[in-house]
Structure formats: structure tokens, C-alpha cells
Amino acid sequence: MRETLLEIKDLKKIYPLRLSGRGWFGKKERMCAVDHLSMTIEKGETYGLVGESGCGKSTTGRAIVGLSPADSGSILYEGKDLCKMKEREMRSLRGELQMVFQNSLSALNPRLRIGEILEEILKIHGVTEKAKRKEQVLAMLEKVGLSEEHFFRFPHELSGGQVQRLGIAGALLTHPKLIVCDEPVSALDVSIQAQILNMLMRLKMELGLSLMFISHDIGVIRFISDRIGVMYLGTLVEETSTETLFEHPLHPYTKTLLAAIPDPYIQGEDFQVLSGEQPVRTEDFQGCAFYSRCPYAKEICKKEAPVFREVEPGHKAACYCIEE
């Protein structure tokens, strides 16, 4: 049995939404981007977090690495609660918790060459010798499929796939234990996606990494993940191993996601389409997160949220209709 690296308990992240009513005296409403989320990531595994846009996947990832501090709950990393740490304490763990962004190009200084950008990361983390920094950067570029030639290029001279390789190289330079990958292949061609995913799987094995892979693409999640958490409206609705999820899904939302995978043998009119749109989860939201779009919704689903529980060994879900 693997050892737990990261454990999230009742994580909650709130953003101001709008003023309901008229003028400056209306009621201030707030949106729960993540609401009472609990999950674990084990050492050496790839945990896939899947769900449609706006469900809180990226917010969860950003909370883990400290970019969007949680409003309540706890994030236990090797037993240390990151939510209770001060900035100075958190700074010492920055190298162990890294993130690869969807648009890595936006994180690169367009005035600096690739070598200078990567060397700056090492300089911040205490590598003072310039020769040593260059040696480590060149070795890392080779690991991610880039060459010494790219060391002297500017960011705009790289292709989309090369930019993502560079983002992964920057995350790996600090020898992290956990990398949060926030949709790193969603903007790439399918052939380049496969290259990046295969590279991540190879590097995970070589370096003993743990990955949290965030995506709305269920096919990509299936390819790279050991376990999958299905997220909807700020909370998990199902969690189990990859094989079990695709062979025996329990939650209606998970079944809808799987049914949306294109099948060339199904006629267009037979596709299962999820009706309605994802509602906004305000602080006074009640009931099951999925009830407004669920074909099996009961009266209790509108009033009381189902408990996220273990239905079968290693298989959790939150739904009143599972047994039926």
C-alpha cells in the first residue's frame, strides 16, 4: 500500500460574485468555487481530476501550491498543514510543490532567453554558481526533449509543444515531489499531446514523482491516471481507480461524461447530451450539486446533499440513487 503524500480535508475557496438587489445596499453574494472537497494523493501515483470548465479543478490545484489560499479546510502535505503556514514557512516548500500551467508562455519573460529564465529559477532556490546552473539547465532541457540550441532562444521562437516542455522543465528543476499539471496538453495537437503525456509518464517513473493531472478531457485522464476524481460544481461526486471508473461508473454525471466520448458506430441522433447549464454555487446553495441536471433527481436531492461515501471497496460516490 502506498504512503499518502497529500491529503485535502473539507477544502473551501470562496470568491465575491455580485451584489443582488439595487444600488450599493444590495446583498453581497459569494461563489463557492470549491466547497468541502476532500481527497488524497499517494506517493508515486498520478491522480486525475476531471470535470467540465468552471467546476473548480484549477482552483483546487492553485490552492495546493499556495497560489490561491483556501478560506477554510486543510491541505496536509507529509503531515504539515499548508493552510496554517506563514509565507516564510511556505517558501521552503515551494521547490517540492510545483505547477505546470495550461498556457506556459504567459509565465515566461519575453525579454529573456530560455537559459536565463531557467537559471533564474535555480538562482532563487539557492544555486549560486553560474556554471553549475547552466549545467543543470542543459541536463533538464535534454530530459524534456529539448536541445542546447533552445538554451539561447527566446520564448516566442518556440512551438506550443516546446513551450509546454519548457514549462515542465522549469517545474522539475527544483526536484519536486508533487507536480500539479493544469490542463498542460489541452491546447496542443493530438500527436503532440501523446508525446507530452508519454514524457510525463517516463519522468514520473525516473524521478519518483507524484502528479495531479487536471483536465476536462476524459480520454487524456484515462491514459495517464492511476486514480480519477470526478468533480462537479466545486465538489467530488465520484472517485476510484481508472479501470473501475470506466468499467463500472456509479454517478449519473460520470456516466454522462463517458457517454460524451465520440463513438463512430453511434449515429448522431443517439448521442447522450447533458441538458441545462452548470448553476452557480453560492453560499446558500442546498442539495446535490447535480440535481438540476440529473434525470434521476428526487425531492431529497434538492434539499440535502448526499454524503460522499465508499460504496464499494476503493470506490466512492455521492448520490442517493446508486443502489437503485
Side-chain angles (χ1 to χ4, degrees):
M1 187 175 179
R2 286 173 174 169
E3 186 180 349
T4 298
L5 177 67
L6 186 99
E7 183 177 8
I8 298 175
K9 295 181 180 179
D10 291 324
L11 184 70
K12 192 166 187 176
K13 180 63 182 176
I14 301 172
Y15 291 105
L17 187 60
R18 61 177 179 270
L19 289 173
S20 62
R22 295 183 177 180
W24 295 98
F25 302 100
K27 180 184 175 183
K28 291 184 179 180
E29 291 190 348
R30 302 194 298 173
M31 178 187 69
C32 297
V34 179
D35 195 10
H36 297 294
L37 176 72
S38 297
M39 58 182 284
T40 60
I41 298 177
E42 299 172 352
K43 289 185 177 179
E45 83 163 341
T46 300
Y47 185 97
L49 191 60
V50 66
E52 59 191 279
S53 298
C55 70
K57 307 185 300 296
S58 296
T59 301
T60 302
R62 292 172 66 87
I64 290 173
V65 299
L67 293 178
S68 296
D71 291 296
S72 64
S74 58
I75 302 173
L76 300 175
Y77 170 71
E78 294 187 329
K80 305 170 187 175
D81 192 349
L82 302 180
C83 296
K84 294 181 179 179
M85 284 187 177
K86 295 180 180 179
E87 178 59 31
R88 183 175 297 179
E89 296 174 299
M90 186 66 184
R91 199 175 299 160
S92 63
L93 295 176
R94 294 288 185 194
E96 298 181 21
L97 299 167
Q98 289 291 307
M99 191 165 188
V100 177
F101 299 95
Q102 180 178 359
N103 182 13
S104 294
L105 187 62
S106 63
L108 304 177
N109 189 334
R111 298 182 179 182
L112 297 181
R113 298 182 188 272
I114 300 307
E116 294 174 304
I117 292 171
L118 295 179
E119 282 189 30
E120 187 68 23
I121 296 173
L122 292 174
K123 190 185 297 184
I124 291 171
H125 286 274
V127 182
T128 55
E129 298 179 25
K130 185 172 178 60
K132 190 174 181 180
R133 289 200 303 266
K134 184 174 181 179
E135 180 185 349
Q136 291 184 26
V137 167
L138 289 175
M140 188 55 67
L141 288 176
E142 185 178 354
K143 274 185 181 294
V144 299
L146 299 176
S147 64
E148 185 176 352
E149 174 194 354
H150 296 97
F151 185 91
F152 302 100
R153 290 189 183 182
F154 288 97
H156 70 272
E157 297 178 304
L158 302 182
S159 66
Q162 289 171 339
V163 168
Q164 285 306 97
R165 290 175 187 271
L166 180 59
I168 294 168
L172 291 173
L173 274 175
T174 59
H175 307 290
K177 295 181 181 179
L178 173 67
I179 297 181
V180 177
C181 302
D182 186 11
E183 306 213 33
V185 298
S186 61
L188 304 178
D189 295 336
V190 175
S191 59
I192 306 301
Q193 283 187 16
Q195 293 175 19
I196 299 295
L197 293 174
N198 284 321
M199 182 188 70
L200 280 171
M201 294 174 72
R202 172 178 58 81
L203 290 171
K204 185 192 106 171
M205 296 298 294
E206 289 179 2
L207 304 176
L209 299 170
S210 298
L211 300 178
M212 181 181 185
F213 198 95
I214 298 169
S215 179
H216 60 265
D217 189 330
I218 193 75
V220 169
I221 287 288
R222 182 179 190 176
F223 179 77
I224 198 171
S225 303
D226 300 313
R227 278 193 308 137
I228 298 176
V230 181
M231 196 169 183
Y232 183 81
L233 207 64
T235 187
L236 285 182
V237 296
E238 188 165 357
E239 181 188 71
T240 187
S241 66
T242 301
E243 183 179 353
T244 302
L245 188 82
F246 279 83
E247 290 183 356
H248 182 47
L250 296 177
H251 198 278
Y253 179 63
T254 307
K255 294 178 181 180
T256 305
L257 285 182
L258 298 181
I261 300 174
D263 189 334
Y265 300 103
I266 297 179
Q267 298 298 322
E269 59 270 16
D270 294 328
F271 278 118
Q272 297 186 31
V273 179
L274 190 62
S275 61
E277 292 189 12
Q278 187 173 255
V280 177
R281 192 184 190 102
T282 55
E283 289 182 291
D284 56 357
F285 186 91
Q286 292 182 342
C288 173
F290 190 57
Y291 85 84
S292 62
R293 305 171 77 184
C294 180
Y296 312 105
K298 304 176 180 179
E299 192 62 31
I300 190 175
C301 300
K302 299 180 182 181
K303 299 177 181 178
E304 188 176 343
V307 178
F308 188 63
R309 57 193 171 88
E310 190 169 48
V311 181
E312 300 170 353
H315 196 163
K316 296 181 180 180
C319 183
Y320 289 114
C321 306
I322 291 174
E323 282 74 12
E324 299 177 9

